[in-house]
């Protein structure tokens, strides 16, 4: 294989980037979007010569999301004529849930005209948009926005009233909403609203111009519990399947296979799925449990759930959170700025807790990422309006993944990071190198990066300067392929100091970051070139002031319930001790590390925000002498958002049991069918256990912030290393009605 490096920044007339008008706004775009364009979106769809629509998470300035969605862009330059033709915004931004009138984050579907409008610094759009991130959506032009809007969401089967249990929201994949653990004694569903975000042909975003009417889901399919063709109606039909007629839900057997098949839910075809287990641990209950909460569930699209890099997650998570808050308000009849949903409602303060058991490795690790700041804004605004709201996330499972490296460099010093990319892997691999926070009284840190492939032909790779984009291409691609098919690696240096104007900020506002990518090492059968496997070398040379850099390798494994994708990539470090003298995994870094690879600072990169509740994974001690971190539980600390500041997060806030013991790994939860159970582990299981505990405290009127979560611990951490992995200690809560691993039934009350 012959490879060659190409400077994309200086390449004149590059048809890929010029087609979207990206070069003039290079510093402001998501580097993942830049890489997707260079590779022809090969990671998301085969043979995409040019996309028409993009899904975006946008941060605004000077104008709120509500004003922006309604076309009221205040005193800025004239709003572009026909802007609704190239930017589609979901209706719940123009008609926001209670307390969210002053939010500055929104999601939208845009065409390349969006990027071209940003070229002009004096344009109305440029004056309103601060930064934006790239998501995923099917590329179709038949957007459902000009016809009749979808019908009003059906009223809840049991509207929420003050004194009812807290509403629990779950955003996940593979949710078996008909499971008996999510039903009442009469057989009706506790899942009041279920949004399947998968997009079918002819089903696209709904424009915010419909904000005066209903707020249907902007894409995908929603199932209401009490709608004519909703969950309860489907349950009745499936209950009478054996007799050929619909019957009482609670009578006889339920043909769950038929129900999911009729609803198009292929995601629950296996015996166990991540979302079903998580939802059971968070809010599952026996049907006769009168205190069981109502549920609002969001099922992520398969491409988003499968992409463990997290590049495609923010837009769908943000839309899921807006959906949950919108439906919670409708259940409670909350009054909005433009009038009540229910004219007779008295605006009960509906408490909501949402579980999000997803995580990534690479990121700024200081709470400044787009999704983290968007979630913090929702929590602050909603809580300030008197509506209790909490988001619970897992701390991560990557302590031993060898995915984090730290290197201190003096002036003109160099270091080499060895990046092991496995063979026969179908997914792209990413690494992020983060520079320290700049300070006003010292020069900006600056490095040069070279990426060397594990073959002789590329030992003279080009150095990457600040603000440059390079790509490594196969010089003999298959005939008939597009330019993106030949790309096997990219290096994109994103600098925070490129613009002097504070109104025009880079995608990462305060820190320089270098994004490196390697294409799949398995040829999928198309025209796309495969990258060589082996040890890629990352040469880092410091050309500025002495500094310490941190590098993270992003996840590229397959989540539970999906086909395995091979061994994930990792750093190679001869000084890294994998096992101790008797074969146990080494869980702590030495006091004086000899190599660059670290176990510290491996927290979930989406869980370093300031307001979200972060939960680590603990393992129950069979002797009941105390619980300790699970061997895989990620460690803090995070990083400071100010040059001389301290990290806001030194680790998770608390932990919950994710393993019933050293032998009995995992926690028992629901399978996809009502008679089945399965044991899963990880912080994805610890987070919903904490969600259950937080829901109980919110129901008592207690706060649901980080100190309150830390106050729920029953087994306190002892050592500093444990504090950085399980926070204040372990919340030893048990799921009511679940079987003990040795056959005993757990009590109904924890």
């Amino acid at each position: 294989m012959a490879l060659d490096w190409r400077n994309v920044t200086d390449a004149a007339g590059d048809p890929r980037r010029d087609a979207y008008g990206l070069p003039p706004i290079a510093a402001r775009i998501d580097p993942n979007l830049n890489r997707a364009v260079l590779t022809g979106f090969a990671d998301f769809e085969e043979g995409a010569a040019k996309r028409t629509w993009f899904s975006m998470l946008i941060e605004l300035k000077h104008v709120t999301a509500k004003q922006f969605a309604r076309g009221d862009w205040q005193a800025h330059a004239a709003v572009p004529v026909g802007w609704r033709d190239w930017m589609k915004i979901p209706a719940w931004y123009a008609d926001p849930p209670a307390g969210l009138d002053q939010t500055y984050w929104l999601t939208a579907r845009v065409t390349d005209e969006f990027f071209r409008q940003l070229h002009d610094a004096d344009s109305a759009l440029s004056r309103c948009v601060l930064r934006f991130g790239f998501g995923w959506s099917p590329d179709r032009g038949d957007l459902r926005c000009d016809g009749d809007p979808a019908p009003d969401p059906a009223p809840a089967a049991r509207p929420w009233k003050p004194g009812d249990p807290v509403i629990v929201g779950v955003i996940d994949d593979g949710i078996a909403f008909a499971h008996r653990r999510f039903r009442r004694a009469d057989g009706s569903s506790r899942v009041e609203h279920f949004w399947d975000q998968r997009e079918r042909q002819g089903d696209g975003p709904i424009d915010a111009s419909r904000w005066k009417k209903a707020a249907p889901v902007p894409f995908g399919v929603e199932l209401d519990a009490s709608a004519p063709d909703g969950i309860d109606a489907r349950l009745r039909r499936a209950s009478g399947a054996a007799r050929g007629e619909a019957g009482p839900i609670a009578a006889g057997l339920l043909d769950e296979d038929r129900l999911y098949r009729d609803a198009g839910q292929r995601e629950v075809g296996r015996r166990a799925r991540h979302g079903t287990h998580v939802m059971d641990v968070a809010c599952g209950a026996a049907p006769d449990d009168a205190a069981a909460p109502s549920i609002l569930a969001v099922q992520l699209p398969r491409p988003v759930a499968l992409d463990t890099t997290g590049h495609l997650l923010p837009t769908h998570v943000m839309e899921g959170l807006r959906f949950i808050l919108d439906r919670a308000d409708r259940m409670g009849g909350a009054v909005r700025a433009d009038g009540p949903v229910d004219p007779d409602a008295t605006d009960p303060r509906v408490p909501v807790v949402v579980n999000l058991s997803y995580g990534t490795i690479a990121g700024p690790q200081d709470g400044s990422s787009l999704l983290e700041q968007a979630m913090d804004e929702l929590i602050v605004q909603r809580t300030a309006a008197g509506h209790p709201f909490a988001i619970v996330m897992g701390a991560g499972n990557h302590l031993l993944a060898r995915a984090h490296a730290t290197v201190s460099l003096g002036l003109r010093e160099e270091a080499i990071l060895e990046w092991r990319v496995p063979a026969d892997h179908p997914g792209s691999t990413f690494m992020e190198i983060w520079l320290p926070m700049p300070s006003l009284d010292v020069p900006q840190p600056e490095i040069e990066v070279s990426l060397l492939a594990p073959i002789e032909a590329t030992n003279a790779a080009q150095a990457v300067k600040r603000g440059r984009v390079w790509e490594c291409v196969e010089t003999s691609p298959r005939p008939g392929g597009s330019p993106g098919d030949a790309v096997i690696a990219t290096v994109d240096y994103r600098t925070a100091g490129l613009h002097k104007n504070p109104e025009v900020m880079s995608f990462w506002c305060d820190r320089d970051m270098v994004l490196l990518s390697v294409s799949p090492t398995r040829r999928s059968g198309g025209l796309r070139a495969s990258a060589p496997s082996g040890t890629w070398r990352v040469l880092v040379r410091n050309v500025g002031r002495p500094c310490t850099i941190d590098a993270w390798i992003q996840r590229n494994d397959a989540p539970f319930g999906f086909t395995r994708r091979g061994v994930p990539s990792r750093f190679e470090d001869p000084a890294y001790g994998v096992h101790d003298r008797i074969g146990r995994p080494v869980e702590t870094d030495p006091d004086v590390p000899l190599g660059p690879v670290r176990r510290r600072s491996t927290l979930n990169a989406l869980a370093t925000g300031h307001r979200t509740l972060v939960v680590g994974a603990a393992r129950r001690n069979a002797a009941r002498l105390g619980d300790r971190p699970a061997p895989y539980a990620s460690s803090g600390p995070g990083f400071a958002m100010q040059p001389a500041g301290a990290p806001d997060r030194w680790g998770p806030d608390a932990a919950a049991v994710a393993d019933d013991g050293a032998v009995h790994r995992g926690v028992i939860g629901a399978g996809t069918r009502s008679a089945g159970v399965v044991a899963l582990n990880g912080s994805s299981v610890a987070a919903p256990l904490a969600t259950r505990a937080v829901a109980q405290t919110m129901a008592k009127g207690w706060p649901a912030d980080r100190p309150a979560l830390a106050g729920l611990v029953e087994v306190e951490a002892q050592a500093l290393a444990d504090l950085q992995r399980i926070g204040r200690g372990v919340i030893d809560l048990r799921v009511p009605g679940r079987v003990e691993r040795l056959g005993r039934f757990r009590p109904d009350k924890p």
Side-chain angles (χ1 to χ4, degrees):
M1 177 186 291
L3 306 177
D4 188 21
W5 283 91
R6 176 175 177 267
N7 186 348
V8 181
T9 308
D10 295 337
D14 183 11
R16 295 166 295 172
R17 285 154 47 89
D18 289 349
Y20 300 99
L22 297 180
I25 56 170
R28 303 176 64 181
I29 66 174
D30 185 342
N32 297 303
L33 171 59
N34 197 44
R35 196 257 179 190
V37 171
L38 292 177
T39 58
F41 301 93
D43 287 333
F44 317 117
E45 54 203 16
E46 291 292 338
K50 184 178 186 298
R51 280 187 67 93
T52 304
W53 291 92
F54 300 86
S55 180
M56 294 289 174
L57 175 60
I58 302 172
E59 182 181 10
L60 300 171
K61 57 185 179 182
H62 309 312
V63 59
T64 66
K66 178 179 177 179
Q67 295 169 327
F68 189 80
R70 294 188 176 191
D72 179 14
W73 296 4
Q74 297 182 340
H76 300 299
V79 177
V81 177
W83 68 275
R84 297 185 189 277
D85 294 333
W86 46 265
M87 182 162 52
K88 311 295 183 182
I89 304 174
W92 43 55
Y93 293 103
D95 186 17
L100 301 184
D101 288 346
Q102 298 301 313
T103 57
Y104 288 85
W105 291 87
L106 57 76
T107 58
R109 298 284 176 85
V110 304
T111 69
D112 53 1
E113 182 62 24
F114 174 84
F115 309 125
R116 300 184 188 283
Q117 290 283 335
L118 289 176
H119 292 182
D120 183 2
D122 295 326
S123 69
L125 188 68
S126 183
R127 291 174 180 268
C128 293
V129 173
L130 185 61
R131 56 176 175 159
F132 54 90
F134 165 61
W136 176 89
S137 64
D139 186 24
R140 293 193 305 270
D142 55 344
L143 304 181
R144 181 163 52 90
C145 57
D146 295 326
D148 294 332
D152 263 315
R158 288 184 56 192
W160 189 89
K161 305 180 299 297
D164 284 352
V166 171
I167 293 176
V168 176
V170 175
I171 302 176
D172 219 295
D173 72 279
I175 296 176
F177 56 83
H179 197 286
R180 68 185 301 272
R181 296 275 294 175
F182 313 136
R183 303 204 303 265
R184 302 186 180 94
D186 62 357
S188 61
S189 177
R190 288 193 290 118
V191 182
E192 298 291 352
H193 296 275
F194 171 73
W195 181 16
D196 182 0
Q197 289 189 338
R198 294 177 303 156
E199 300 185 44
R200 299 176 176 85
Q201 185 63 32
D203 183 19
I206 293 177
D207 188 17
S209 60
R210 302 292 181 180
W211 64 267
K212 293 184 178 180
K213 299 184 179 181
V217 291
F219 54 88
V221 176
E222 178 182 4
L223 292 178
D224 302 322
S226 57
D229 194 33
I231 298 176
D232 287 349
R234 294 174 183 272
L235 287 169
R236 283 191 291 271
R237 290 200 299 269
S239 298
R243 302 185 302 274
E245 60 184 16
I249 301 176
L253 298 176
L254 180 69
D255 189 346
E256 295 178 68
D257 288 344
R258 174 190 173 181
L259 187 150
Y260 294 128
R261 184 172 58 251
D262 292 346
Q265 291 300 308
R266 295 177 299 175
E267 301 301 314
V268 294
R270 298 173 180 259
R271 73 178 184 91
R273 289 305 298 263
H274 188 267
T276 302
H277 187 280
V278 165
M279 196 157 82
D280 180 34
V281 175
C283 52
D288 58 355
D289 187 353
S294 296
I295 305 171
L296 300 174
V298 177
Q299 180 166 279
L300 296 172
R302 181 181 178 86
V304 175
L306 183 58
D307 178 44
T308 53
T309 65
H311 296 162
L312 308 180
L313 194 65
T315 55
H316 284 80
V317 168
M318 186 63 176
E319 287 165 340
L321 291 170
R322 283 282 186 161
F323 166 83
I324 289 172
L325 295 178
D326 180 271
R327 297 308 186 254
D329 280 4
R330 293 177 182 276
M331 289 175 61
V335 177
R336 300 188 185 182
D338 296 317
V341 176
D342 180 355
D344 299 324
T346 57
D347 188 16
R349 306 296 180 177
V350 183
V352 179
V353 55
V354 177
N355 186 91
L356 179 62
S357 288
Y358 276 86
T360 62
I361 300 178
Q365 295 275 344
D366 59 6
S368 65
S369 70
L370 275 72
L371 181 57
E372 289 176 307
Q373 294 205 341
M375 291 191 296
D376 281 350
E377 182 189 64
L378 288 181
I379 295 171
V380 170
Q381 297 290 339
R382 184 80 172 179
T383 304
H387 294 256
F389 179 50
I391 301 175
V392 183
M393 306 185 69
N397 311 315
H398 300 99
L399 181 83
L400 307 178
R402 285 181 269 179
H404 175 219
T406 299
V407 178
S408 295
L409 297 172
L411 180 62
R412 304 299 177 186
E413 285 188 350
E414 296 180 351
I416 294 179
L417 299 176
E418 295 188 348
W419 183 11
R420 182 68 176 179
V421 178
D424 198 35
H425 200 290
S428 295
T429 307
F430 298 87
M431 180 193 297
E432 295 180 8
I433 300 177
W434 287 85
L435 275 69
M437 186 74 64
S439 179
L440 296 177
D441 55 349
V442 294
Q444 181 88 355
E446 185 175 351
I447 62 174
E448 293 179 352
V449 178
S450 298
L451 179 61
L452 287 75
I455 57 178
E456 292 295 331
T458 57
N459 283 341
Q462 298 286 347
V464 177
K465 307 288 187 181
R466 295 180 60 201
R468 301 280 181 159
V469 182
W470 291 77
E471 64 180 11
C472 184
V473 298
E474 184 178 4
T475 57
S476 301
R478 292 190 179 186
S482 66
D485 292 331
V487 178
I488 67 165
T490 62
V491 182
D492 190 351
Y493 197 132
R494 312 313 301 272
T495 177
L498 187 62
H499 291 286
K500 302 297 184 182
N501 184 359
E503 292 294 318
V504 181
M505 303 185 72
S506 61
F507 179 75
W508 300 113
C509 298
D510 298 317
R511 295 168 63 191
D512 287 3
M513 185 269 278
V514 185
L515 176 66
L516 303 91
S517 73
V518 175
S519 296
T521 55
R522 176 197 300 175
R523 192 180 291 274
S524 60
L527 298 176
R528 187 182 188 187
S530 60
S533 62
T535 301
W536 290 66
R537 291 182 296 161
V538 182
L539 174 62
V540 183
R541 182 171 181 263
N542 185 21
V543 295
R545 65 176 174 87
C547 65
T548 299
I549 64 169
D550 288 272
W552 284 274
I553 297 174
Q554 190 58 278
R555 290 182 63 184
N556 67 342
D557 55 339
F560 177 81
F562 293 89
T563 303
R564 295 298 177 188
R565 304 175 64 178
V567 178
S569 66
R570 66 174 186 265
F571 286 112
E572 291 285 4
D573 181 3
Y576 181 90
V578 180
H579 299 97
D580 62 15
R581 289 179 297 176
I582 61 175
R584 295 173 301 188
V586 178
E587 300 180 28
T588 58
D589 292 325
D591 294 336
V592 182
L594 300 178
V597 180
R598 300 287 189 274
R599 296 168 181 84
R600 288 165 49 94
S601 299
T602 51
L603 286 173
N604 174 6
L606 299 179
T608 60
H610 308 298
R611 303 287 180 172
T612 50
L613 307 181
V614 180
V615 184
R619 185 173 67 189
R620 180 173 286 119
N621 190 324
R624 304 303 304 144
L625 299 177
D627 298 331
R628 66 176 307 278
Y632 49 79
S634 295
S635 172
F639 289 79
M641 291 192 68
Q642 301 298 328
D648 180 70
R649 185 176 294 281
W650 290 92
D653 301 302
V657 174
D659 290 285
D660 286 332
V663 176
H664 295 293
R665 297 182 179 180
V667 172
I668 292 291
T672 56
R673 299 300 182 267
S674 294
V677 295
V678 66
L680 299 181
N681 67 353
S683 62
S684 293
V685 174
L689 275 170
T691 297
R692 184 181 289 268
V694 170
Q696 294 174 1
T697 60
M698 292 175 71
K700 299 175 183 178
W702 297 350
D705 52 13
R706 292 173 59 186
L709 178 64
L712 296 177
V713 304
E714 300 181 32
V715 182
E716 294 191 359
Q718 302 298 322
L720 174 62
D722 288 349
L723 285 169
Q724 294 177 346
R725 298 175 62 192
I726 60 174
R728 179 75 175 273
V730 180
I731 302 171
D732 195 7
L733 186 72
R734 306 194 181 196
V735 179
R738 275 288 164 233
V739 179
E740 284 280 11
R741 303 302 282 271
L742 298 180
R744 298 186 302 272
F745 279 89
R746 293 178 176 172
D748 289 337
K749 302 297 181 181

